[in-house]
Amino acid sequence: MLKRSEVKIEETWDLTPLFETELLFEEAVESVLGKAGEIEKEFKGKIVNAQDAVNVIAAYQSLYEALVPIGTYASLSLSEDQTNDEAQMRSAKVGQHYSKIGAQLSFITSELLLLDEAVLTEAKDLAPQFERYIDNLIRKKPYQLHPEAEKALAAFGTTFDAPYELYNTTKLVDLKFDNFEVNGESYPLSYNSFEGDWELESDTEIRRAAFESFSKKLRDYQHTTAKTYDTHLKIEKTDADLRGYDTIFDALLFDQEVDRELYNRQIDLITTELAPHMRRYAKLLQKEHGLEKMTFADLKISLDPTYEPKISIEESRQYMNDGLSIMGEDYQNMLDRSFDERWIDFAQNEGKSTGAFCSSPYGKHPYILISWTSRMNEVFVLAHELGHAGHFYLTHKEQNIFNSRPSLYFIEAPSTMNEMLMANHLLSNSNDARFKRWVISTIVARTYYHNFVTHLLEAAYQRKVYEIIDDGGSVNASILNKLKREVLEDFWGDTVEITEGAELTWMRQPHYYMGLYPYTYSAGLTIATQVSQRILNEGEPAVQDWLKVLKAGGTKSPVELAKIAGVDITTDQPLKDTIAYIGSLIDQLEVLSEEIASENV
């Protein structure tokens, strides 16, 4: 694995649009610290009428916009190489400054909520651009603590974030994998190489050996990781109790503007109704690969690995332009800029964060992290992250910083939509049975398996964990392993052998430190599946509705956003239709596989 200093610069992102020099970064930090002090001096204890409310919110908006690039720069420079001492210290320093500012300005929310609701309504009339911000404040009023308590909690901000930072340090800095051997040949192993390559390896001996070696090393860190996670859970539970929420679930779903019914439905329906379809898919994989038994380590292999082409970064650009052209000229320009201006970090290097993500700082262009393996399925990963980028590229142009971010429930709809658009494009441009099977199997294995199976089973497991915590219990490695294994066995039944090490997959996912996030992938993809079918059948009118949704940002609730796009998520029908659609894809794979097999006889 290359060190960060050894990778090609054209494969890295360019962070200079955030700050051209370290000196400018330091100056920006000093500036926001000064602004925070000025806001405190000017407004603390003096917010008594509607105009005061508008003035303090406007001042906070200006500060918030200045804070965003600082936090983004610190976060991204650490994500590209967690072993970098300078990046570690910078990130820690920014965290401390953010905690200080949070404590200093906690009075804003406290004092605004002490005003009569009629005064806040008048403030909305004076400044309609702050309506959403004020409405969200009013929603929080029942759970607001005494001003001094809020100040104390804000001061602990960076401390409360420590479990997530500890998790990443353990995973990406301390945890080192030994090479593994198969038939006398040695193979290198790392987090990124396992999740990006070895997990998808078509050679069964190599793939299973990599899984065994990977799991063995994870096991060495299971107790530390479990204790870190338990600490995070206790922080969430304590906060929920202090604020008077009935349960930890209510506290975590509050900001998502989603009730327990939508949350539970997503997990329960998929766990029961999708499982039979995915078991058929697992059996098809087993048959096509001639496996004596199907194990957990075999679930991510390609249905036809000899067909999957390798693809360069430059070739991926053409796929993005072709597959997403239906989104219009402005969107197309965004795609071109993302490559031309180095918004994307493709490099593989030591210490780099695993997986892929998109960071979209307000007032700046988005940034995407991905570790490019040259596998064709990376086209779907990149399309996914560019879906996030396109979403915030559009909403940031239309909305202020308070209105730009939608509910977490909706956040994965634009990303998974791009995967569906890419699939629609590829399928419409070929009648070759083998190519069609490859595209459909990629949709199932990458888009739906990742979002409707991997993340959904994480959500089912996470719900069991939170139930224990909500009842006043604790978790350790043994409990977490047991819960994870139970969820996997319930879903896969006797179709897939849940091999030793599968239970440790709870150690691999950072989403557990982000509240009730895992279930939102399937929620977003449910919306995306229905809208992509509308686009396929109706064309431009459906595209225009979707663009309206993207530009609306956080000005609407998830239910309202979905409704604009033509989907009613207050019922279970969109989810049932999506599960049926997945079943139809697997039907097609079975038919195409029979057709291809008969041609080869």
Side-chain angles (χ1 to χ4, degrees), residues 108-120:
I108 296 175
T109 298
S110 297
E111 291 190 25
L112 286 172
L113 288 178
L114 288 173
L115 298 174
D116 288 340
E117 198 161 321
V119 177
L120 292 174

Side-chain angles (χ1 to χ4, degrees), residues 440-457:
I440 294 169
S441 67
T442 302
I443 302 169
V444 173
R446 157 59 216 169
T447 302
Y448 285 108
Y449 185 95
H450 188 67
N451 298 294
F452 256 71
V453 180
T454 298
H455 289 317
L456 195 280
L457 294 184

Side-chain angles (χ1 to χ4, degrees), residues 571-591:
T571 74
D572 62 8
Q573 199 57 49
L575 182 53
K576 283 181 173 289
D577 288 346
T578 300
I579 292 170
Y581 175 69
I582 298 170
S584 74
L585 292 177
I586 295 167
D587 290 341
Q588 291 179 62
L589 290 178
E590 290 172 334
V591 170

